[in-house]
Amino acid sequence: IVRSKCSVMMAFFCQRALLLSLAAAVSVYADMKLDCRPDLVTLVWTESRSQADTSLLRLGDCFPTSLSAREAVFSVGVNDCNFRRLVTGDQLMYTNDLTYVSPPGSHILPFTHPVVCAYERPKDWYPLVYNPVFHTYGQGDLVFHIGLMNDDFSGPAESTSFPLGSFIPIMVSVVQKSHQPLLLLLEECVAATTPELLPESSIYPIIANKGCLVDSKVSRSKFEPRQKSSEIHLSLQAFRFGLGEEVFIHCKLVAWDPIGLDNTNKACHYNKEHGWELLDNSGYSNLCDCCESSCKSRRMRSITSGKHGIVQNAVLGPLTVTDVLS
């Protein structure tokens, strides 16, 4: 029994030593400055390696707020980016991970660097109670939300009625409790006049073909620039389908491994000047080429297995599109 315990302890210390040595190796090539304030955390990561792409750095599930060739800056709140909160004695600690997602074939290996902010615990502090505004769906230890937003996506919409031709701002998000940062994608969305999709239901396709915003070819609909990997913002131009009736948006959401993008796991919209563009990295927009045909995976793998991602069906509505002339 003693030998068994020792072997477990040795494995733990060896793993710990390996993580520390990797962090030390990364520190040789980079410098991290962390400023923890009550309402703002600022992290500045400076790279010396010319091959490193600072746009591939993530703080939890957040993208950098500003970038240069050698520097990535994150200015975020402690309630964002999947910071983990821990109360220990008179301290309130927020921990996170700075990760580098290395693209295939890169000489720069992926890495994780710990980020810790410690504050004096307020005497009147108590855990916040989360009251979701959106339609909420749970699967495993992931919680999905989908909701209508105001024009700048800063809060929930004040109305569920939208004039024809205006934009319907939709935000979809996933709260990740124990997962490594995942990328949220919309695999398919259709509009229908029923809260459930039935064989006889009339539908209007919005997103099809494994993440292609097909509605953007005939409208001004588009994905907005992503602020967090766990969120996706869609500006959907109000359409004639179901005009004046209650309309429901039925979507298939996918929380996916961020380094596992391919032509069946992507977010693409149509730019009238440049054609199909990939939301997360326009340099790989060739993944969207199949939007004009059929997007099929070259590799056989199951999303529902949980190895690469999790699928969740969601319904948003009812909402109403009104004719501005009526």
Side-chain angles (χ1 to χ4, degrees):
I1 297 175
V2 173
R3 288 180 182 176
S4 174
K5 287 183 177 180
C6 286
S7 62
V8 171
M9 290 299 290
M10 286 300 292
F12 171 80
F13 285 118
C14 286
Q15 184 182 39
R16 185 69 177 170
L18 177 60
L19 289 173
L20 290 173
S21 64
L22 286 173
V26 170
S27 300
V28 172
Y29 300 105
D31 176 61
M32 187 181 82
K33 294 180 181 177
L34 182 64
D35 182 15
C36 299
R37 301 188 181 187
D39 56 346
L40 185 70
V41 174
T42 301
L43 186 153
V44 180
W45 183 269
T46 306
E47 269 285 348
S48 63
R49 294 170 289 184
S50 59
Q51 306 96 324
D53 183 351
T54 54
S55 70
L56 298 177
L57 287 162
R58 303 286 183 266
L59 179 58
D61 63 353
C62 285
F63 286 58
T65 51
S66 64
L67 285 171
S68 67
R70 294 284 186 273
E71 192 173 83
V73 179
F74 297 85
S75 294
V76 299
V78 291
N79 294 317
D80 300 324
C81 307
N82 273 354
F83 269 94
R84 299 175 292 273
R85 183 170 52 201
L86 177 66
V87 181
T88 57
D90 59 354
Q91 279 196 325
L92 189 59
M93 298 183 67
Y94 290 86
T95 65
N96 211 328
D97 295 305
L98 181 75
T99 57
Y100 182 79
V101 182
S102 183
S106 173
H107 296 297
I108 306 296
L109 296 176
F111 63 81
T112 299
H113 200 288
V115 176
V116 180
C117 284
Y119 303 92
E120 182 180 353
R121 178 181 178 180
K123 293 180 180 179
D124 59 349
W125 180 88
Y126 57 91
L128 295 175
V129 177
Y130 179 64
N131 183 22
V133 174
F134 306 135
H135 300 265
T136 303
Y137 305 83
Q139 181 161 326
D141 56 355
L142 299 180
V143 181
F144 294 84
H145 307 290
I146 183 169
L148 297 171
M149 304 295 288
N150 57 17
D151 290 341
D152 61 359
F153 290 89
S154 61
E158 296 181 358
S159 172
T160 58
S161 179
F162 300 89
L164 182 66
S166 67
F167 283 111
I168 304 172
I170 298 172
M171 185 176 89
V172 189
S173 65
V174 58
V175 177
Q176 305 156 201
K177 298 179 182 179
S178 61
H179 277 270
Q180 288 294 318
L182 294 172
L183 188 68
L184 184 66
L185 300 169
L186 295 175
E187 182 175 296
E188 180 181 307
C189 288
V190 299
T193 54
T194 55
E196 296 182 3
L197 286 179
L198 305 172
E200 63 272 18
S201 296
S202 296
I203 62 171
Y204 175 77
I206 298 169
I207 297 173
N209 212 355
K210 306 293 185 180
C212 302
L213 181 55
V214 293
D215 183 62
S216 63
K217 288 207 70 175
V218 296
S219 72
R220 293 182 291 137
S221 297
K222 60 181 178 178
F223 291 118
E224 299 294 346
R226 202 191 287 267
Q227 303 300 316
K228 298 180 181 180
S229 62
S230 61
E231 292 181 0
I232 193 164
H233 293 180
L234 170 62
S235 290
L236 179 65
Q237 190 172 18
F239 36 72
R240 286 192 172 276
F241 176 84
L243 190 64
E245 300 180 59
E246 286 190 342
V247 172
F248 298 82
I249 308 295
H250 299 257
C251 290
K252 182 182 290 185
L253 321 179
V254 181
W256 192 256
D257 182 344
I259 63 173
L261 288 179
D262 59 23
N263 58 359
T264 61
N265 295 283
K266 61 194 184 303
C268 300
H269 55 198
Y270 191 79
N271 183 306
K272 301 300 187 290
E273 296 180 0
H274 303 105
W276 287 101
E277 290 185 346
L278 186 68
L279 168 65
D280 294 294
N281 189 337
S282 59
Y284 290 90
S285 290
N286 62 308
L287 294 180
C288 304
D289 290 348
C290 63
C291 287
E292 294 292 342
S293 54
S294 179
C295 297
K296 297 179 180 179
S297 178
R298 297 176 181 177
R299 292 173 289 180
M300 295 299 292
R301 60 187 182 187
S302 171
I303 296 175
T304 53
S305 68
K307 183 177 180 181
H308 297 282
I310 294 178
V311 175
Q312 175 68 56
N313 292 322
V315 183
L316 175 64
L319 58 92
T320 309
V321 177
T322 59
D323 193 337
V324 290
L325 298 179
S326 62

